[in-house]
Amino acid sequence: ETGVTQTPRHLVMGMTNKKSLKCEQHLGHNAMYWYKQSAKKPLELMFVYNFKEQTENNSVPSRFSPECPNSSHLFLHLHTLQPEDSALYLCASSQDQQNNEQFFGPGTRLTVL
Amino acid sequence: RKEVEQDPGPFNVPEGATVAFNCTYSNSASQSFFWYRQDCRKEPKLLMSVYSSGNEDGRFTAQLNRASQYISLLIRDSKLSDSATYLCVVEEGYGQNFVFGPGTRLSVLP
């Protein structure tokens, strides 16, 4: 099993849909992250969880709702998204926030119609 | 003002060349620094952390100058497989915020 997995790999949804992105890490890490990568823009950090507690929310709109039920799993719940939310959503993990070399999953490519 | 800036690129170099990338950051309180590489349509992969004293990993050398808020990556003896986008990453506030640069694209040509 690879270190960080994400499902689905591709997702197309309408603006009124509700969907969830899933991330799972098999590295025994304690910190997990959600990033957004839009075309022609740098990666943007969205949320940080350390030992299941959310420690950072980078002014992300409430239509994105993270959930971290345990140190191995991270979800991003999506609701009433906008077309400009179309992007690659990347999950990453690190040992913890101090030992913070991050390992990324393959991402979910999201298209909002 | 952008928080992390990188050489705009792209860099097109022949195999065997030496190439250097520069990165500057604006937050003097930044704590950790990294170089990642990202292949087309793939996730970023950690290349190396950057330590104050500078560090080397095979053909790759990273340097940090805190006074000038500047990070560099040197690649010697470029290989075709080094073709990728190189991302400078700066961590602020003890794991609270990771700021990625826009990346510099490298193409190593045969």
Side-chain angles (χ1 to χ4, degrees):
Chain A
E1 188 73 74
T2 53
V4 183
T5 57
Q6 290 187 242
T7 55
R9 295 293 307 276
H10 300 272
L11 178 63
V12 179
M13 60 186 287
M15 289 192 285
T16 58
N17 292 157
K18 287 185 185 179
K19 296 285 184 186
S20 295
L21 310 185
K22 179 182 174 183
C23 175
E24 185 173 358
Q25 57 93 4
H26 309 272
L27 301 169
H29 287 169
N30 296 299
M32 296 187 78
Y33 311 79
W34 278 118
Y35 286 88
K36 175 183 179 183
Q37 188 172 33
S38 305
K40 310 276 187 202
K41 290 177 73 174
L43 270 82
E44 300 169 63
L45 179 64
M46 300 174 73
F47 301 105
V48 180
Y49 278 82
N50 196 39
F51 292 93
K52 300 188 298 177
E53 297 296 319
Q54 185 177 317
T55 59
E56 188 69 16
N57 175 341
N58 267 353
S59 304
V60 180
S62 59
R63 58 186 184 268
F64 295 91
S65 172
E67 179 191 358
C68 188
N70 54 62
S71 292
S72 300
H73 293 85
L74 185 65
F75 294 88
L76 187 63
H77 303 299
L78 314 172
H79 177 47
T80 53
L81 295 193
Q82 305 297 314
E84 60 265 28
D85 296 323
S86 298
L88 181 67
Y89 288 85
L90 290 156
C91 171
S93 71
S94 65
Q95 185 60 49
D96 50 52
Q97 282 191 272
Q98 279 64 53
N99 299 294
N100 49 21
E101 293 181 345
Q102 294 180 44
F103 296 84
F104 284 81
T108 295
R109 186 156 299 278
L110 174 68
T111 303
V112 182
L113 301 176
Chain B
R1 183 181 165 192
K2 294 179 185 173
E3 296 178 59
V4 177
E5 297 193 49
Q6 295 187 238
D7 290 331
F11 283 47
N12 299 314
V13 302
E15 269 187 290
T18 295
V19 60
F21 302 133
N22 300 314
C23 171
T24 57
Y25 60 95
S26 60
N27 187 341
S28 59
S30 298
Q31 297 295 323
S32 306
F33 309 88
F34 309 90
W35 283 102
Y36 281 75
R37 67 169 281 167
Q38 187 171 23
D39 293 278
C40 189
R41 305 190 75 79
K42 298 277 194 174
E43 72 274 18
K45 290 200 164 107
L46 179 67
L47 184 63
M48 56 202 304
S49 301
V50 187
Y51 303 120
S52 296
S53 54
N55 47 304
E56 188 174 310
D57 182 3
R59 299 181 293 109
F60 299 85
T61 301
Q63 299 228 304
L64 167 65
N65 184 322
R66 283 188 187 271
S68 302
Q69 296 179 199
Y70 166 93
I71 306 155
S72 66
L73 176 68
L74 184 77
I75 305 176
R76 288 180 299 277
D77 189 24
S78 303
K79 312 290 185 195
L80 295 177
S81 57
D82 293 334
S83 298
T85 296
Y86 288 83
L87 305 170
C88 173
V89 185
V90 174
E91 182 262 319
E92 305 171 343
Y94 298 103
Q96 295 301 319
N97 193 22
F98 291 86
V99 184
F100 278 70
T104 301
R105 194 147 122 214
L106 171 67
S107 293
V108 181
L109 308 171

